[in-house]
Amino acid sequence: MARDLRADGWARVDLFNEVDSTNVVALDAAERWHLVAAHRQRAGRGRLDRAWVTPAGAAVTVSMTLPLPRDAATWGWVPLFVGDAVRAALAQLADERGADVEFVTKWPNDVLVWDDDGDESGADAGPGTGRASGDWRKVAGVLCQVAPGNLVVAGVGVNVAQQRGELPVDTATSTSLVGLDAARDEVLAAVAAHVARAARAWCEPVALAGARESVRRHCRTIGSLVDVHTPDGKVARRRGAGIDDGGRLVTTVPGARPGSAPTMAYSVADVVHARLGGRAEAGEPHGRNADE
């Protein structure tokens, strides 16, 4: 596996049985094109220092040290670029196996997959809920931390082999639960290849427009209702309208016609949660095939 990963341009590859956190190991080294993966994390963390714990051998836990974009104004896009690369890696694996699985991203740092078995009762959850017998559920997350030397450590966790009872919340799922039959080493190799390719692209100004377009095209938050939770404890019901050139989520008032209402832009630092769904307004689209 180490030889395969180096073929994608990784200068150093460290594969561990167990560590506290792959991000901590990568941050301590702070070496460009360094990949750290572990069979199990004892103290994995997500955004805002949230715990991220999985059963041993059930997930891909990897951290990759990458050069930041030359233009500091683009740094806010890095978690979005990494998330889109993870989405593309999982979509490629699904395509290669002929699996009918759809992956999207959620601003700012999650990868979602449509999970038909999310509602195990099989009952229709009713109109306006955003789902029938399934839902968009989190299958992967990204945590980016700046390191010395204009580097960023991109930590990625992908749920691969967990069963329902092993997932921490009912809004999560795993690749195996949605019908993608891929081993952890295959998922790791695909993620490593796609993230390396994305990082090379964001270092080239001429490639940035295409990278941004891919993020916008695959981001489920754009066009969806979203409940924006801010650090002051308030929750605002908004509709995702786009992502600006700084990587901020641009929103508008639900139900407003395009251009008829003022917009509000949120940076990652402005938001505790940006949750999709909730109950849609009358006439609002919902579900997998909603018109965005």
Side-chain angles (χ1 to χ4, degrees), residues 87-274:
R87 175 207 58 76
L90 297 176
Q92 177 181 311
L93 287 172
D95 184 62
E96 290 172 349
R97 286 155 176 76
D100 181 20
V101 186
E102 183 178 359
F103 295 96
V104 296
T105 56
K106 180 173 78 71
W107 185 93
N109 65 332
D110 290 341
V111 179
L112 310 181
V113 61
W114 183 259
D115 185 354
D116 283 323
D117 295 325
D119 181 356
E120 293 185 333
S121 69
D124 190 328
T129 62
R131 64 186 174 93
S133 61
D135 209 342
W136 292 105
R137 297 180 184 275
K138 180 175 177 176
V139 71
V142 175
L143 173 65
C144 288
Q145 296 176 274
V146 175
N150 283 341
L151 301 175
V152 60
V153 173
V156 174
V158 183
N159 295 332
V160 176
Q162 293 97 319
Q163 298 305 301
R164 295 279 175 214
E166 297 174 312
L167 294 164
V169 291
D170 62 6
T171 54
T173 190
S174 66
T175 55
S176 64
L177 285 171
V178 298
L180 173 53
D181 182 17
R184 285 191 308 131
D185 61 344
E186 295 173 307
V187 174
L188 173 59
V191 167
H194 279 265
V195 171
R197 190 177 308 137
R200 294 187 192 100
W202 76 51
C203 289
E204 297 296 332
V206 294
L208 281 176
R212 288 189 177 115
E213 171 56 27
S214 181
V215 169
R216 289 171 172 139
R217 185 168 64 253
H218 296 104
C219 181
R220 183 73 188 179
T221 311
I222 297 175
S224 294
L225 291 175
V226 56
D227 291 329
V228 180
H229 298 243
T230 50
D232 60 5
K234 296 180 180 179
V235 180
R237 169 58 58 92
R238 309 289 292 181
R239 174 173 288 283
I243 299 172
D244 69 15
D245 286 347
R248 297 182 305 168
L249 176 66
V250 179
T251 67
T252 189
V253 177
R257 285 182 291 183
S260 66
T263 61
M264 170 73 74
Y266 296 92
S267 71
V268 174
D270 296 331
V271 174
V272 176
H273 296 289

Side-chain angles (χ1 to χ4, degrees), residues 44-64:
R45 311 301 297 179
R47 197 171 75 88
L48 300 179
D49 207 34
R50 300 179 184 121
W52 193 80
V53 180
T54 61
V60 164
T61 53
V62 58
S63 296
M64 296 156 282

